[in-house]
Amino acid sequence: MTELHLWLRHEVRSTERRTPLVPSDARRLVDSGVTLTVEESPQRIFPIEQYAAVGCRVAPAGSWASRAPEDAVVVGLKELPDEPAALTHRHVFFGHAYKEQPGAEELLRRFAAGGGALLDLEYLVDDHGRRLAAFGYWAGYLGAALAVLQHRGRLAAPLTPTSQEELQEALRPVAGDEEFTALVIGALGRSGRGARVALRAAGVEPTCWDLDETRDLDRPALLAHDVLVNCVLATSPIPPFVREADLDDPARRLRTLSDVTCDVGSPLNVLPVYDRTTEWAEPVRRLHKEPPLDLIAIDNLPSLLPEESSVGFSGSLLPLLLEFGVGGPWARCLDRFHQACRELGIDEGEFRRV
């Protein structure tokens, strides 16, 4: 492990306050012999001084492209900046590039141009295909929490980061709140578990569906709920949960739709009734006037609870980084990258191996 150099980059998205590595886990990496460079970042929930105090090197924000050694592994969470056009490093982040999402081919060709590689955190899995490091619980929790606040008319915009304690207080029902029904699809996964916790904190006992309930979808029963929280990330084509035709159904009771998955643009999207996500500045978009239907589809929900979500994710990622390059999950991650490139006709021989 003494040869490994990790470079924790600044996130270019202004609303991204999370980090994949918190200072306490950075200390363990440094103590194990890893060289860890951390870029300055004005919005990261943990200040740069905490990283420096545990032995990390400090670099200016965005300097990985010009300063990181070629063999460094650049670690982040969300999208890369548009430059450089050729990516020479190995990058660990959520690339969203393997299911025909918008911009996916362009990103992979940037790696081809520079000889780098994408180690997509979504595909860092165990022998059974289960993700090893994920923000799912907090994504589901926040997706359901925002749906509750919107349905009760108490969701303020723009959204701002908060704490779990403050959000729990906001979720408590108050006098005058009308009862409503809520459905969580994908209720048995990480995101579904978080959604159920948030709804119960709001005084709502949700209907819970998972694989058994969606194999033969009871769409009228789905549309009979007031709130739907979707936590299903499809890996193969399945019938959509809500269709365009359902929006015009006068019997539809559904009024608030929170899509935690945000698989917009993918042919595997189970909610093909919208074509763009919502943002912190305007978290809700009216999809249909009569009967009304409001959409919440924010693709970095856990950043609204940046400290809690970062601590949990970092704790899961740490042991994997301590074993970086040994094989197993990282080898599977790299294999998935090469597979995606071959599907686009890119010569996999151009790329560096982990």
Side-chain angles (χ1 to χ4, degrees):
M1 289 299 297
T2 56
E3 298 179 358
L4 179 61
H5 187 168
L6 297 176
W7 190 288
L8 181 61
R9 63 175 170 87
H10 159 71
E11 298 289 336
V12 295
R13 189 186 299 203
S14 62
T15 59
E16 189 51 77
R17 302 194 67 207
R18 293 173 295 173
T19 176
L21 274 175
V22 302
S24 58
D25 291 331
R27 179 194 293 274
R28 292 187 58 186
L29 286 166
V30 171
D31 288 348
S32 74
V34 174
T35 299
L36 179 54
T37 299
V38 180
E39 291 186 356
E40 297 171 319
S41 180
Q43 74 260 25
R44 188 186 293 128
I45 185 63
F46 296 97
I48 193 66
E49 292 79 10
Q50 292 189 20
Y51 291 95
V54 299
C56 299
R57 301 178 182 180
V58 175
S63 60
W64 59 266
S66 59
R67 295 193 181 187
E70 188 175 285
D71 62 351
V73 179
V74 181
V75 182
L77 287 176
K78 301 299 283 187
E79 64 272 7
L80 295 172
D82 294 336
E83 296 293 335
L87 298 170
T88 61
H89 298 93
R90 291 166 291 177
H91 282 262
V92 175
F93 72 109
F94 290 102
H96 303 297
Y98 300 158
K99 294 191 292 182
E100 302 179 35
Q101 296 99 323
E105 181 173 347
E106 178 184 358
L107 175 63
L108 294 178
R109 293 198 177 278
R110 288 175 68 189
F111 281 108
L118 168 61
L119 302 174
D120 196 314
L121 287 164
E122 185 176 334
Y123 295 86
L124 192 60
V125 298
D126 64 15
D127 293 337
H128 305 288
R130 181 174 173 80
R131 288 171 60 178
L132 295 171
F135 287 99
Y137 175 87
W138 292 111
Y141 181 93
L142 283 153
L146 297 186
V148 168
L149 295 176
Q150 169 62 19
H151 199 75
R152 288 176 172 165
R154 296 204 291 270
L155 183 60
L159 300 178
T160 57
T162 185
S163 67
Q164 185 182 14
E165 182 179 0
E166 292 174 339
L167 190 53
Q168 289 275 104
E169 185 61 32
L171 287 174
R172 297 184 191 279
V174 298
D177 283 343
E178 295 184 1
E179 293 186 359
F180 64 88
T181 59
L183 169 63
V184 178
I185 305 185
L188 299 184
R190 288 189 183 99
S191 296
R193 182 163 55 90
R196 285 157 33 211
V197 169
L199 286 164
R200 287 167 181 154
V204 179
E205 186 59 40
T207 303
C208 297
W209 288 5
D210 209 83
L211 289 175
D212 289 344
E213 293 81 7
T214 54
R215 285 194 180 96
D216 186 13
L217 187 69
D218 186 345
R219 189 168 281 107
L222 183 156
L223 298 174
H225 289 81
D226 298 299
V227 171
L228 169 61
V229 182
N230 174 52
C231 298
V232 172
L233 181 65
T235 56
S236 59
I238 60 175
F241 297 155
V242 181
R243 309 161 302 180
E244 287 285 347
D246 299 322
L247 304 187
D248 293 317
D249 186 349
R252 170 174 56 81
R253 183 172 173 175
L254 183 65
R255 295 293 184 267
T256 304
L257 172 59
S258 181
D259 188 8
V260 173
T261 303
C262 291
D263 211 12
V264 61
S266 166
L268 303 182
N269 185 11
V270 296
L271 294 171
V273 292
Y274 72 100
D275 58 5
R276 55 191 171 91
T277 57
T278 61
E279 306 293 338
W280 286 30
E282 297 182 18
V284 181
R285 183 163 65 250
R286 179 61 56 93
L287 282 184
H288 201 265
K289 290 185 178 180
E290 290 297 334
L293 180 61
D294 291 330
L295 169 73
I296 299 170
I298 296 170
D299 66 0
N300 66 334
L301 283 167
S303 200
L304 290 165
L305 289 177
E307 182 171 354
E308 293 92 338
S309 61
S310 294
V311 168
F313 186 87
S314 179
S316 298
L317 186 61
L318 173 64
L320 300 167
L321 291 174
L322 288 169
E323 297 293 329
F324 185 86
V326 173
W330 294 109
R332 285 189 287 270
C333 216
L334 187 64
D335 287 344
R336 185 63 185 88
F337 167 70
H338 286 298
Q339 177 187 338
C341 291
R342 288 194 298 271
E343 291 169 355
L344 292 174
I346 300 173
D347 181 7
E348 63 177 319
E350 300 174 37
F351 299 100
R352 182 190 304 115
R353 292 285 179 180
V354 171

